[in-house]
Amino acid sequence: MPAEEHTGSYYAATRTDRTAYPPLDGEEETEVCIVGGGFTGVACALTLIERGHRVTLLEQHRISWGASGRNGGQLIHGLGGTKQLGRFLSEDKIRALHYRGNDIIKGRIEKYQIQCDLKAGYIEVAFKQSQMDGLVEDYEEHREWNLDEHLRLVDRDELKSLLGTDVYIGGMINDLDGHLHPLNLCAGEARAAAGLGASIHEQTEVIDIVHGDKVRVVTRQGAVIADKVLLAGNAYQHLELKKLSGLVFPAGSFIIATEPLPDDVTDRINPTDLAVCDLNNVLDYYRLSADKRLLFGGRCNYSGKVPTSIEDSMVPRMLKVYPELEGKRIDYAWGGNIGIVVNRVPCMGRVTDNIFYSMGYSGHGVAPTHIAAEIVADAMDGATDVLQAYENISHFRIPFGQWFGNQIVALGMLYYRLLDEL
């Protein structure tokens, strides 16, 4: 597969760091080789280089080329699987994971002065009472953690004043979460890692992994010899298929960006500049960009096919929430693959003692990738308890190959869409 530049997204058009890292040419020796230049790989590289390790990162295309640079930009706490970890880890250890990703990201933005439009404020919105009941449970859990001061439940009337729509019955605001420009964040972290000595190579496809006490990571132009390796390709992972095939499958997600909206419109539809995500299984998410565009995303498809027109597919969904945006120009429309796991728990673990992997964030990856990256870095440094706990969680492997497996899961998603309608 030839190397590609960034997709034609709003993020690519407004990225502030256009650094290009050279392809690998020849052989390079390092302590840790990371395959994949998205959030997981870049965040882990920065963690390891901060700890004094020698790191080489290989990216087939450009830093943040995949989902890390195309997503909704919503900074949402949590990491899938924490409810299953109770058999393996203490409650305090599990609780510490929930907001760890947010803390890492906010700390790095401040430390490295990364300009990525970080804004506090996130709201989950409910269409029906069962979803609202779930938000109440989440609020009570935060009360037990002494974090309830950061959350607020809102009813239909207040929600209409917050979002300018009456399609929801209620919601919950969380000011510990928020939104940002994901491509600028990932590029800023990569620049920070490179500044501390990490060796980064773009347009460098890895074609083979040769096991051994020293792992040989083979590319089309050369090879990296490393003590340890992290595979961080997420939906684009194609290595170590005997161990990893069928655990994560790619699903399309799509976003449109309107023209910049006038103040009277933004003051009506989102006056406090919240990131928004509904609670349907097949969900929509949206927010305002720094230049006041509405970025509206959703509609996963599991066929692997891009809609004939992303704009035609997404605009009707946007207009269901905001009919007053009828006729507003759509300046950008893009999509990409997210890595889906059937049980929505990220796949983290080891292929061998010195080859690690982390992937499958099921569309909620900005903060969770940073938690996972730290978990892997800790394991490489000898603290394997959390990684081992994730290795103990069972995963369903999609049978009969990628194509047929996608059709099975598509049937499952049809079931969940029907549940959304009930």
Side-chain angles (χ1 to χ4, degrees), residues 39-45 47-48 51 104 108 230 348 358 361 367-379:
F39 276 137
T40 301
V42 171
C44 191
T47 297
L48 290 168
R51 296 179 182 181
I104 292 170
R108 287 179 173 173
L230 167 61
M348 286 187 275
S358 183
Y361 308 99
T369 48
H370 287 73
I371 307 172
E374 187 172 73
I375 289 170
V376 172
D378 288 345

Side-chain angles (χ1 to χ4, degrees), residues 131-144:
Q131 294 173 345
M132 199 67 207
D133 292 343
L135 291 179
V136 172
E137 290 179 13
D138 193 20
Y139 179 85
E140 293 302 326
E141 187 172 44
H142 278 78
R143 186 195 296 275
E144 295 175 7

Side-chain angles (χ1 to χ4, degrees), residues 208-211 215 231 237-245 351-352 355 397:
D208 195 17
I209 303 286
V210 181
H211 295 192
V215 184
L231 303 179
Q237 158 64 28
H238 62 275
L239 301 165
E240 299 293 343
L241 295 180
K242 184 176 181 180
K243 172 74 174 182
L244 302 179
S245 66
V351 177
T352 64
I355 300 177
R397 191 181 296 271

Side-chain angles (χ1 to χ4, degrees), residues 235 247-254 280-285 298-307 313 317 336-344 361-364 398 401-417 420:
L247 295 177
V248 174
F249 65 95
S253 188
F254 307 97
N280 277 344
N281 291 292
V282 184
L283 55 84
D284 291 327
Y285 50 87
R299 189 182 284 279
C300 283
N301 83 56
Y302 294 79
S303 68
K305 297 179 180 179
V306 176
S313 179
R317 297 172 72 93
N337 286 333
I338 56 179
I340 299 290
V341 183
V342 173
N343 65 2
R344 297 301 197 266
Y361 308 99
S362 300
H364 297 277
I398 304 294
Q402 184 66 57
W403 184 88
F404 192 49
N406 279 355
Q407 312 317 307
I408 293 172
V409 178
L411 290 175
M413 288 307 297
L414 176 60
Y415 165 76
Y416 283 116
R417 288 184 67 182
D420 288 338

Side-chain angles (χ1 to χ4, degrees), residues 68-140:
S68 297
R70 307 186 192 196
N71 64 75
Q74 302 207 5
L75 180 61
I76 305 171
H77 73 279
L79 180 67
T82 51
K83 293 187 183 302
Q84 291 98 316
L85 297 181
R87 293 176 294 157
F88 314 111
L89 299 173
S90 69
E91 184 177 339
D92 287 345
K93 193 100 176 183
I94 296 170
R95 184 177 300 175
L97 295 175
H98 283 279
Y99 282 93
R100 181 59 186 152
N102 298 42
D103 292 342
I104 292 170
I105 290 168
K106 292 174 184 178
R108 287 179 173 173
I109 289 171
E110 181 177 0
K111 180 177 181 179
Y112 297 109
Q113 294 296 291
I114 300 172
Q115 303 302 313
C116 61
D117 305 330
L118 175 64
K119 183 68 182 284
Y122 165 71
I123 184 168
E124 292 178 282
V125 290
F127 287 105
K128 51 191 178 182
Q129 191 57 47
S130 61
Q131 294 173 345
M132 199 67 207
D133 292 343
L135 291 179
V136 172
E137 290 179 13
D138 193 20
Y139 179 85
E140 293 302 326

